Amino acid sequence: MGNRTLCLLKPDCIESGLIGAVIQHLENDGFKIYSAKMVYMTREVAEEFYSVHKGESFFVDLVNFMVSGRSFAMVLERENAVEKLREVIGATDPKEAKEGTIRFKYAENKQNNIIHASDKEENAEREIRLFFSNKELIENGM
Ligand code: CMP
């Protein structure tokens, strides 16, 4: 068993019918889904989720985008999960993303970029807790 990270398939991914394709890509790269569910972010949760970007010029548009539809939240597990997921999804701007990465293949622009991944270990734990309860993270049993 490796460590865990939070992955969110954003509203543009759901709208474009790309949940399956993106999950296939992640599974091919060795990620296991530990827990998963559809979520609808309220404005309050979206603002909290992206609180590090508060004050940035793109913040309001970003929050509006994130509340425009549902997202698919996943706790993913793998060795070096945090670092590896960042690598596999590619740069924030799909124009700068390496060939073969998820954003290179599917993302439209810097904002509508299909997928989110925690950027470091401590944020992964904070972000997982924002969406998943203890019960949903339990090792065995219901
Ligand atoms: P994500 O990996 O979810 O983390 C922060 C998000 O803010 C990022 O993906 C983009 O969706 C968005 N973002 C970051 N920089 C910009 C930018 N310059 N313009 C628009 N959106 C941005």
Side-chain angles (χ1 to χ4, degrees):
M1 167 180 145
N3 62 355
R4 302 191 304 206
T5 190
L6 180 87
C7 178
L8 265 192
L9 306 185
K10 299 184 183 183
D12 55 338
C13 183
I14 282 65
E15 194 52 38
S16 311
L18 289 168
I19 296 180
V22 173
I23 290 180
Q24 187 64 70
H25 189 124
L26 294 168
E27 288 186 331
N28 290 346
D29 276 316
F31 289 94
K32 295 259 187 308
I33 301 175
Y34 187 85
S35 197
K37 62 180 175 183
M38 296 299 300
V39 295
Y40 175 74
M41 275 199 222
T42 59
R43 197 161 282 277
E44 197 182 357
V45 171
E47 285 175 357
E48 163 64 21
F49 184 64
Y50 282 129
S51 56
V52 292
H53 297 298
K54 215 167 196 159
E56 301 272 9
S57 57
F58 58 83
F59 183 73
V60 174
D61 286 343
L62 174 62
V63 170
N64 285 338
F65 166 56
M66 294 306 286
V67 302
S68 70
R70 287 175 194 279
S71 294
F72 189 69
M74 294 183 280
V75 177
L76 297 179
E77 191 176 58
R78 213 203 96 116
E79 239 172 74
N80 284 327
V82 176
E83 199 187 327
K84 184 66 184 175
L85 187 60
R86 298 287 291 185
E87 189 185 310
V88 162
I89 72 175
T92 304
D93 185 347
K95 285 197 225 80
E96 287 161 23
K98 280 194 195 141
E99 207 175 329
T101 59
I102 291 171
R103 283 171 172 161
F104 176 88
K105 285 186 0 191
Y106 304 117
E108 202 179 309
N109 57 47
K110 243 189 247 186
Q111 176 186 277
N112 297 26
N113 62 2
I114 294 279
I115 187 166
H116 166 87
S118 310
D119 63 346
K120 42 186 149 151
E121 297 279 338
E122 66 255 38
N123 286 342
E125 217 33 53
R126 180 184 76 88
E127 291 178 358
I128 287 170
R129 295 288 162 183
L130 208 52
F131 294 104
F132 293 89
S133 66
N134 278 341
K135 209 171 161 188
E136 290 166 323
L137 297 170
I138 206 152
E139 289 288 328
N140 290 301
M142 293 289 287

